């Protein structure tokens, strides 16, 4: 009796196909404008580390420059916090464009060391790197003291979003803005409950990018 041919392992091609489709993380990001334009920053291979894409950052800083009212995309004299700094791309971009003070806050020790190295490489005197909790750093900031707050918490830690937004809203200058990067679009009602309103919005892949400002109260 003829033997049956051995069964093919169906799982192997699927696994290979899955691996082929898995998006690779960028190994570096670049500063888009200002003093350090085109400078490249290393990106550590860390689970959950998700640098804001170049195109989104370019749009974000065009939005912020329009609020600053200065040509050339500059943010002169601004005080900023990058509360979940990661690579530091957002905060360092702000410093490159003339921000007077930028706090990069990050909990991971290896990423903090990388941020310190980037600060030294750029001789970024306006930048301070701090190992700690981003929400705590925002709660410690003086009320109304920040022109820009960058919030890019890990997408898998949804519990961070509301306290971070609440603390950011309190620390925000009347003419300032909060950049929020999230896995979904925040509803008008959710933001209003925190005293905030959507000013600009875009979606790029899985990223929902919001620029938020203080909500304007309408007289009764």
């Amino acid at each position: 009796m003829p033997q049956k041919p051995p069964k093919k392992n169906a799982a192997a091609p699927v696994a290979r196909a899955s691996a082929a489709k898995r998006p690779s993380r960028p190994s570096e990001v670049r500063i888009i404008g200002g003093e350090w334009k085109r400078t490249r920053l290393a990106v550590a291979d860390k689970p959950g580390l998700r640098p804001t894409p170049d195109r989104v950052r370019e749009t974000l800083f065009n939005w912020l420059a329009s609020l600053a009212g200065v040509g050339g995309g500059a943010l002169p004299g601004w005080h900023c916090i990058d509360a979940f700094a990661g690579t530091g791309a957002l905060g360092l971009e702000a410093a490159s464009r003339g921000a007077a003070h930028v706090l990069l806050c990050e909990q991971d020790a290896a990423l903090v060391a990388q941020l310190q190295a980037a600060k030294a490489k750029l001789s970024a005197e306006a930048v301070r790197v701090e190992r700690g909790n981003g929400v705590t750093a925002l709660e410690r900031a003086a009320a109304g003291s920040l022109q820009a707050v960058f919030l890019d918490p890990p997408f898998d830690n949804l519990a961070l979003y509301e306290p971070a937004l609440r603390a950011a809203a309190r620390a925000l200058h009347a003419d300032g803005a909060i950049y929020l990067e999230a896995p979904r679009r925040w509803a008008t009602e959710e933001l209003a409950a925190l005293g905030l309103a959507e000013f600009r919005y875009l979606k790029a892949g899985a990223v929902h990018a919001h620029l938020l400002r203080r909500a304007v109260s309408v007289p009764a």
Side-chain angles (χ1 to χ4, degrees):
M1 183 175 180
Q3 290 184 341
K4 292 182 179 180
K7 291 183 178 179
K8 293 182 179 178
N9 184 353
V14 172
R16 283 195 296 271
S18 175
K21 291 179 181 177
R22 190 179 299 126
S24 59
R25 293 194 195 97
S27 60
E28 58 184 19
V29 294
R30 65 184 176 89
I31 294 176
I32 294 165
E35 181 182 356
W36 307 314
K37 185 177 181 178
R38 299 188 184 91
T39 300
R40 297 189 177 275
L41 306 170
V43 175
D45 187 10
K46 289 271 186 181
L49 187 62
R50 178 184 32 78
T52 302
D54 285 3
R55 182 172 67 85
V56 175
R57 278 189 294 119
E58 186 166 12
T59 300
L60 164 63
F61 281 91
N62 286 340
W63 290 343
L64 293 177
S66 71
L67 294 178
V70 179
L75 308 176
W78 279 33
H79 286 242
C80 314
I81 285 185
D82 192 347
F84 305 92
T87 63
L90 293 170
L92 291 170
E93 184 78 40
S96 179
R97 293 168 182 261
H101 183 268
V102 178
L103 173 61
L104 303 179
C105 189
E106 174 55 51
Q107 283 193 315
D108 185 280
L111 293 178
V112 169
Q114 192 172 73
L115 292 171
Q116 293 282 17
K119 170 182 163 68
K121 173 184 176 180
L122 298 169
S123 299
E125 297 298 328
V127 173
R128 183 163 66 88
V129 178
E130 176 182 293
R131 186 180 181 191
N133 182 289
V135 175
T136 302
L138 286 165
E139 290 172 343
R140 198 173 60 233
S145 63
L146 300 171
Q147 279 85 11
V149 177
F150 302 108
L151 298 180
D152 182 11
F155 276 8
D156 60 356
N157 196 343
L158 299 179
L160 284 173
Y161 282 80
E162 185 172 334
L165 281 168
R166 192 177 299 280
R170 184 198 62 83
L172 191 64
H173 189 277
D175 296 325
I178 298 168
Y179 172 69
L180 171 66
E181 199 166 297
R184 66 172 179 88
R185 188 172 189 174
W186 276 62
T188 301
E189 297 77 14
E190 293 176 287
L191 296 171
L194 299 168
L196 296 169
E198 183 182 287
F199 179 65
R200 296 283 187 270
Y201 168 83
L202 69 83
K203 184 177 184 298
V207 173
H208 293 260
H210 313 65
L211 194 65
L212 311 174
R213 303 196 70 190
R214 284 187 175 181
V216 178
S217 300
V218 179

